[in-house]
Amino acid sequence: MDTAVLSSWLHLWHTPGVGPALFRRILEQYGTPEAFLRAPRGAWRELELRDEAIAVLEQDAPPPGVTADLDWAASDRHHILLLEDPGYPPRLRDIASPPPVLYVVGDPQVLHWPMLAVVGSRHPTPGGRETAKAFSAHLARQGLVIASGLAQGVDGAAHAGALSAGGLTVAVTGTGPDRIYPGAHRSLAQRLVAEGAMVTEFPVGTQVKREHFPRRNRILSGLSIGTLVVEAAARSGSLITARRAVEQGREVFAIPGSIHNPMARGCHRLIREGAKLVETADDILEELGAQALVPAASLPSARSASVGKGPHDDASGETEPDHARLLEAMGHDPVSVDQLVGRTGLTVAMVSSMLLLMELRGQVASLSGGRYVRL
């Protein structure tokens, strides 16, 4: 990319008060940031720019942040995508206010894959956390990229689930590309960018600010063909993501829960408003149809030699033959986990994990007393 062109885009992006909407107006009126920067001061006034912004534009040198961005982009795994670039994610370009500048750590090609946003509470129930992880693992095995916001709770479980299945995952953050928030997810971020990506519209050095997260949410939904809400309180940032998805013409899915669970109220509200109720991960695949299809040669299991597992292998060592053996051992009467361990010789952890996945697939149902029955 031409450094002068990139610098002009970054110069405008670092100008105070120039957000995505105003940046797009400038492009529509002037064609390029270079043309705008060469325009007379009176033209800047016509766009109702603040005095602070005009003072920055009048300087001979670009803002200091431009140099920081260019230095950051010198690394092989760091990329800056401009709205006009052929490599800019097409789904994101189609939203009402796409980021004019996108900072990517990892593989920017992943942003062109069919992607599902998985979002939910930062403080989910244990069941909600397990559901987010299991859904994400199953969908990642089918080739979907799992996108989330790297936050605590459901977000972290979604990323971890995709990675456990040998799949790809994308984190959309509300800070600069050189910052990891929360810090507890630094290791998770390093794992996901090894083959996936971390994405933000905020320049290098941008700290955590509350107002950044709603902006982050529109990118998360805009990159994705659909958004799944696992658990959410009645007032939740996850509901903002879901509403952005609706505005962008994307599918919204919600997992129902107990009427006594406050973390289910947001999902129930979305369902009342028209979100699709899902009970299994396959419900999502069925609804998305051809949108979710990816070439077989591009599936995560084919791309990742480092994983060394087939598409039906799980990080815990479970395989499809194990699942078939467990189903056969269930028979057609209710059974407990201990009974299944005795019949199959599998460990308690493996049986419990497989039962959760089978329940999500609609193969088994859980009963009172910790028993399961084959459907």
Side-chain angles (χ1 to χ4, degrees), residues 88-363:
Y88 192 94
R91 282 186 297 274
L92 188 60
R93 185 186 282 118
D94 288 342
I95 71 173
S97 55
V101 178
L102 207 59
Y103 303 81
V104 182
V105 184
D107 183 3
Q109 290 297 321
V110 173
L111 306 180
H112 293 253
W113 278 39
M115 195 176 304
L116 182 79
V118 180
V119 298
S121 172
R122 283 178 168 78
H123 305 287
T125 64
R129 189 184 301 272
E130 292 171 4
T131 297
K133 187 173 182 179
F135 264 68
S136 298
H138 181 69
L139 294 167
R141 288 192 189 97
Q142 308 309 311
L144 279 174
V145 176
I146 300 301
S148 199
L150 200 63
Q152 297 280 13
V154 166
D155 287 19
H159 292 305
L163 292 170
S164 74
L168 300 178
T169 183
V170 166
V172 182
T173 68
T175 62
D178 57 329
R179 308 292 169 122
I180 304 297
Y181 178 80
H185 280 173
R186 186 172 303 278
S187 175
L188 178 62
Q190 291 171 346
R191 288 171 59 205
L192 71 84
V193 300
E195 288 193 70
M198 188 169 67
V199 183
T200 183
E201 69 175 331
F202 297 104
V204 170
T206 302
Q207 302 280 358
V208 179
K209 292 184 178 180
R210 182 184 295 272
E211 60 266 27
H212 289 174
F213 292 98
R215 289 179 58 178
R216 181 273 310 267
N217 293 344
R218 89 185 192 289
I219 299 175
L220 179 56
S221 59
L223 283 168
S224 306
I225 56 178
T227 294
L228 169 66
V229 183
V230 178
E231 278 190 342
R235 294 186 177 183
S236 166
S238 302
L239 303 189
I240 296 175
T241 308
R243 293 196 176 95
R244 294 293 174 269
V246 171
E247 293 168 1
Q248 294 160 357
R250 314 295 161 84
E251 300 286 354
V252 176
F253 306 96
I255 298 176
S258 167
I259 60 172
H260 304 292
N261 177 10
M263 290 295 104
R265 289 173 186 164
C267 292
H268 294 167
R269 179 176 175 179
L270 288 174
I271 292 169
R272 287 195 299 271
E273 293 174 353
K276 295 175 175 64
L277 184 155
V278 294
E279 297 175 312
T280 72
D282 286 333
D283 291 341
I284 296 173
L285 294 172
E286 181 179 351
E287 187 67 35
L288 291 176
Q291 294 184 80
L293 295 179
V294 294
S298 300
L299 287 173
S301 58
R303 293 180 77 251
S304 179
S306 63
V307 175
K309 297 181 291 192
H312 300 299
D313 292 335
D314 186 84
S316 63
E318 303 157 13
T319 63
E320 286 298 341
D322 289 334
H323 285 246
R325 180 152 55 110
L326 185 61
L327 273 176
E328 184 177 353
M330 291 188 75
H332 297 281
D333 296 316
V335 290
S336 66
V337 171
D338 289 341
Q339 286 176 304
L340 291 172
V341 169
R343 293 177 187 178
T344 62
L346 300 170
T347 66
V348 172
M350 291 177 70
V351 169
S352 299
S353 174
M354 285 190 281
L355 286 173
L356 175 61
L357 183 56
M358 290 175 179
E359 188 173 3
L360 294 174
R361 289 176 174 173
Q363 295 172 299

Side-chain angles (χ1 to χ4, degrees), residues 11 23 34 63 66 70 83 231 246 254 283 308 367:
H11 189 159
F23 201 114
E34 302 101 298
V66 173
L70 292 173
L83 188 60
E231 278 190 342
V246 171
D283 291 341
L367 305 174

Side-chain angles (χ1 to χ4, degrees), residues 54-68:
I54 292 177
V56 170
L57 293 171
E58 288 178 330
Q59 295 175 4
D60 293 333
V66 173
T67 301

